[in-house]
Amino acid sequence: VRAIRHYHEVGLLAEPERRANGYKSYGVAHLVRVLRIKRLIGLGLSLAQIAELGDADEHPEEALRVLDAELAATIERLQRVRVELALILSQATPTDLPPQLGRAVAEVDLSATDRAFFVVFAQVVGPRALDAYAERLRAYSREPVITEFNRLPADADEQTRQELAERLVPFIEKLFADVPDRQNLLADAPRGVPFALNAINLAIHDLYNPAQIDVVRRMTS
Amino acid sequence: VRAIRHYHEVGLLAEPERRANGYKSYGVAHLVRVLRIKRLIGLGLSLAQIAELGDADEHPEEALRVLDAELAATIERLQRVRVELALILSQATPTDLPPQLGRAVAEVDLSATDRAFFVVFAQVVGPRALDAYAERLRAYSREPVITEFNRLPADADEQTRQELAERLVPFIEKLFADVPDRQNLLADAPRGVPFALNAINLAIHDLYNPAQIDVVRRMTS
DNA sequence: TTGCTCCTCACGTCACGTGAGGTGGC
DNA sequence: TTGCTCCTCACGTCACGTGAGGTGGC
């Protein structure tokens, strides 16, 4: 009943004459119109589209074809979402990381900081870097020198920082030694290499403490 | 950007600290949160559902299962709509009548009044009556006595009305003679036989003129 | 007199989109 | 001084849902 009044308001349905008491008096013509409107809504047309068609009983061929194409696209999209959902549900991977990294992360139980870093990381690098890191995450997280880095106090002295950097370099070196075409790991970054490097840099500066940032600087310079 | 502000407004995302000029200063934690929100929205969750999950990175298994079931239902519904659309498009049937009647009506070119009558009729009777009428519509609409009925003036005199009724009865009789179980044609009316009879009666009284209504009355009494 | 139906405002829903009008940074 | 970015209201979107408050019919 509220829907009918709404159709009056937007001009889709003529208001019928009133009886003496003000009640609306609908006839079959109104009913036919309402049935048509309801039918078209059921097919997925908007009220605006129905208004465009007018109240003639023409065959809205063009509108229906457009609608059909939209439906096909919607169905496809929803089916892709379902595939994603099935993957997430069956593998119990978290929702904020792509599957390959998600699985690896679920197994190794990273710190909250490292997790946050990888969430950002996964957004800006391409599939190759993702795969490479996913495969090495287990060895990475179990390494004592990594734990040491994670626990480095913000006020660690210079010697500690330098020494840690010197021990980290060969470890990372070895870890990624067998990655093919290693210099171009970022080449397939979806938003470009400079963007990716910048984002990673910003993330590091936001997530880690000054001593840790200094260690990273010493490693890469 | 407006979306971000909206998340602030509904409490999904904490507002970051401001810089001296009032600009918001986002950190990686905010980014991670936003990415998670966007991801869940992409999967089809509402903001309210996301709020219920909290900002912990727990695995929203239950919510995802519910969502998946809803998606399955939605996809099925849309596919049924597409089947309907394909039928309508391929057979060029009108949208306000069921297919079997629609096809028949498209061929015989009824008067607007008769069309309106059949739209109502199709809503209240069951498939059996629909099929029976669809099959006989061609013969019905070509019959001279039907044309005569449709053109009957509102002020036709008594003798004309009585005579027309007497000629209509055998025609209708013959037309439906070979319908099996003819007395129960309305037995499968979706909203019940009394409802269907009442609706048909009201439609006749609204659509036809007094003389025509009187003829119908004489036929059935 | 008592329920019941019908009426007209008018605000709420959902996830933002879109100006309006103002201010800081370069 | 001139664009450009960022800010905060605040109304609009879409198809109705949902009371609020009042009135006629039996």
Side-chain angles (χ1 to χ4, degrees):
Chain A
V1 53
R2 181 56 235 256
I4 303 293
R5 289 202 245 275
H6 184 61
Y7 302 153
H8 290 324
E9 284 166 24
V10 297
L12 262 189
L13 182 66
E15 286 216 30
E17 294 182 354
R18 304 306 181 100
R19 310 229 285 271
N21 54 20
Y23 286 18
K24 297 192 186 89
S25 182
Y26 293 95
V28 168
H30 295 99
L31 174 59
V32 168
R33 177 72 174 147
V34 169
L35 288 173
R36 181 173 157 87
I37 293 173
K38 285 291 183 190
R39 183 79 208 288
L40 294 175
I41 284 184
L43 290 176
L45 289 176
S46 70
L47 296 191
Q49 288 175 305
I50 296 174
E52 277 176 29
L53 295 178
D55 54 1
D57 47 38
E58 292 155 25
H59 198 196
E61 169 128 14
E62 180 60 15
L64 293 187
R65 280 197 200 290
V66 171
L67 180 63
D68 190 54
E70 288 172 1
L71 279 182
T74 302
I75 289 175
E76 228 195 310
R77 186 171 50 77
L78 294 185
Q79 276 167 343
R80 272 199 299 272
V81 170
R82 283 200 76 196
V83 169
E84 270 192 78
L85 275 177
L87 209 70
I88 294 173
L89 283 171
S90 70
Q91 313 220 313
T93 66
T95 53
D96 47 6
L97 287 168
Q100 69 269 53
L101 247 190
R103 223 160 355 181
V105 163
E107 289 170 7
V108 300
D109 183 35
L110 286 178
S111 73
T113 299
D114 272 1
R115 256 203 72 118
F117 176 74
F118 276 112
V119 170
V120 176
F121 185 79
Q123 288 289 322
V124 297
V125 305
R128 286 194 46 230
L130 240 42
D131 286 338
Y133 274 84
E135 277 178 35
R136 284 153 189 86
L137 204 53
R138 193 190 304 260
Y140 167 89
S141 66
R142 291 227 187 108
E143 174 70 18
V145 71
I146 294 295
T147 308
E148 204 176 322
F149 173 82
N150 280 329
R151 294 186 183 155
L152 190 69
D155 59 353
D157 63 23
E158 157 131 23
Q159 196 192 335
T160 309
R161 293 175 342 225
Q162 179 63 27
E163 196 203 278
L164 185 55
E166 281 170 13
R167 277 186 294 138
L168 273 165
V169 166
F171 167 68
I172 299 290
E173 189 70 25
K174 202 179 111 210
L175 191 62
F176 289 91
D178 59 337
V179 175
D181 197 15
R182 206 175 117 203
Q183 302 85 313
N184 295 321
L185 254 191
L186 290 183
D188 55 357
R191 311 196 43 170
V193 175
F195 181 89
L197 288 175
N198 187 37
I200 292 173
N201 208 16
L202 289 173
I204 290 175
H205 276 264
D206 191 64
L207 289 170
Y208 297 99
N209 70 39
Q212 291 171 319
I213 293 167
D214 183 55
V215 169
V216 172
R217 195 188 49 74
R218 284 169 197 258
M219 286 170 62
T220 54
S221 65
Chain B
V1 53
R2 180 56 233 259
I4 304 292
R5 290 202 244 276
H6 183 62
Y7 302 153
H8 291 323
E9 285 167 23
V10 298
L12 261 190
L13 183 65
E15 286 216 30
E17 295 182 352
R18 305 305 182 101
R19 309 228 287 271
N21 54 21
Y23 285 19
K24 296 192 185 90
S25 182
Y26 293 95
V28 168
H30 296 99
L31 174 58
V32 167
R33 178 70 174 148
V34 169
L35 288 173
R36 183 174 155 86
I37 293 173
K38 284 293 183 189
R39 182 78 208 290
L40 294 175
I41 284 184
L43 291 176
L45 289 175
S46 70
L47 295 192
Q49 288 175 304
I50 296 174
E52 278 176 30
L53 296 179
D55 55 2
D57 48 37
E58 291 155 26
H59 198 194
E61 169 129 12
E62 181 59 15
L64 294 186
R65 281 198 199 287
V66 171
L67 181 63
D68 190 54
E70 289 171 1
L71 280 182
T74 302
I75 290 175
E76 228 196 310
R77 185 170 51 77
L78 294 185
Q79 276 167 342
R80 273 200 298 272
V81 170
R82 282 200 75 196
V83 169
E84 269 192 79
L85 275 177
L87 209 70
I88 293 173
L89 283 172
S90 70
Q91 312 220 314
T93 66
T95 54
D96 47 5
L97 287 168
Q100 70 268 54
L101 246 190
R103 223 158 356 181
V105 163
E107 289 171 5
V108 301
D109 183 35
L110 285 178
S111 73
T113 298
D114 272 0
R115 257 203 71 118
F117 176 75
F118 276 111
V119 171
V120 175
F121 186 78
Q123 287 290 322
V124 298
V125 306
R128 288 194 45 230
L130 239 43
D131 286 339
Y133 273 84
E135 277 179 35
R136 284 157 189 82
L137 204 54
R138 193 191 303 263
Y140 167 91
S141 67
R142 291 229 188 107
E143 175 69 20
V145 72
I146 294 295
T147 307
E148 204 175 324
F149 173 81
N150 280 328
R151 294 187 183 155
L152 189 69
D155 58 354
D157 63 24
E158 157 131 20
Q159 195 191 337
T160 309
R161 298 184 327 232
Q162 179 63 27
E163 196 202 277
L164 184 55
E166 282 171 14
R167 276 185 296 137
L168 273 166
V169 168
F171 167 66
I172 300 291
E173 189 71 24
K174 202 178 112 210
L175 190 62
F176 289 91
D178 59 339
V179 175
D181 196 17
R182 207 176 117 202
Q183 301 86 314
N184 295 321
L185 254 191
L186 289 184
D188 56 355
R191 312 195 44 169
V193 175
F195 180 90
L197 287 175
N198 187 36
I200 291 172
N201 207 15
L202 289 173
I204 290 175
H205 275 264
D206 192 63
L207 288 170
Y208 296 99
N209 69 39
Q212 290 170 319
I213 294 167
D214 183 58
V215 168
V216 172
R217 194 186 54 72
R218 284 167 196 260
M219 284 170 64
T220 54
S221 64

